Amino acid sequence: MSIAKNKVVQFFYTLKDEAGVELESNVGADPVAYLHGHNNMMRGVEKALEGHNIGDKFNVTLPPEETYGLRREDSEQRVPVKHLLGAKKWKPGMMAVIQTDQGQRQVTVVKVGKFMVTVDNNHPMAGRTLDFELIVTDIRDATPEEVTHGHAHGIGGHHH
């Protein structure tokens, strides 16, 4: 069975930057699970996985437009310090999580005041060309419920 629309795909990944430095990996943890063809995965990663089979291991280098997007220079915002999640004391350069209307979002602290903080809303990896090592561990047909909900259920996927 190969990866195509309405298949639930599980995979391991190792993410490296332009210099080959490892940034993240889920190898040794639970695999990522997603419903293929439903915009649940970065566009470039989903395109790279299309047509692959269980056991396939490969690398793909993707431009920012296919992953976390280009950096937007007008994306700084001032928010109350109390809205930042992840630490008690904040310093420029630290990563924080804020709650938005679209869910949680990772931001970078730019400037800290007594009550307000300036954050950069760009994803920390925006604007970077990234290398993904992908290992396909499982492919199965999605259940009718998963297709209706538009996402995978179970380990590595969504839990209701």
Side-chain angles (χ1 to χ4, degrees), residues 26-157:
N26 73 332
V27 175
D30 286 334
V32 172
Y34 79 99
L35 179 59
H36 193 81
H38 290 261
N39 298 318
N40 293 324
M41 183 55 52
M42 285 180 241
R43 184 175 55 212
V45 172
E46 187 169 55
K47 282 193 324 191
L49 286 164
E50 179 92 24
H52 279 277
N53 299 295
I54 295 172
D56 285 358
K57 178 179 178 178
F58 62 99
N59 284 57
V60 61
T61 300
L62 298 170
E65 298 86 353
E66 296 280 314
T67 58
Y68 295 101
L70 296 170
R71 286 194 58 76
R72 292 185 343 268
E73 296 308 318
D74 62 344
S75 69
E76 288 186 0
Q77 178 181 2
R78 288 181 48 80
V79 297
V81 174
K82 66 182 181 182
H83 289 272
L84 298 182
L85 305 172
K88 292 185 193 250
K89 187 158 176 82
W90 295 100
K91 295 179 183 172
M94 292 177 74
M95 298 298 154
V97 173
I98 60 172
Q99 189 67 38
T100 71
D101 294 340
Q102 293 83 33
Q104 290 189 338
R105 180 179 188 102
Q106 190 175 20
V107 297
T108 304
V109 175
V110 176
K111 182 179 175 185
V112 181
K114 188 170 184 175
F115 300 106
M116 299 293 285
V117 64
T118 302
V119 297
D120 180 349
N121 290 311
N122 283 301
H123 188 282
M125 292 186 223
R128 299 175 77 176
T129 297
L130 300 169
D131 184 70
F132 292 81
E133 179 180 282
L134 303 169
I135 305 167
V136 181
T137 60
D138 192 47
I139 305 166
R140 65 171 172 80
D141 291 325
T143 66
E145 181 181 46
E146 287 172 319
V147 173
T148 299
H149 289 179
H151 57 252
H153 296 166
I155 293 175

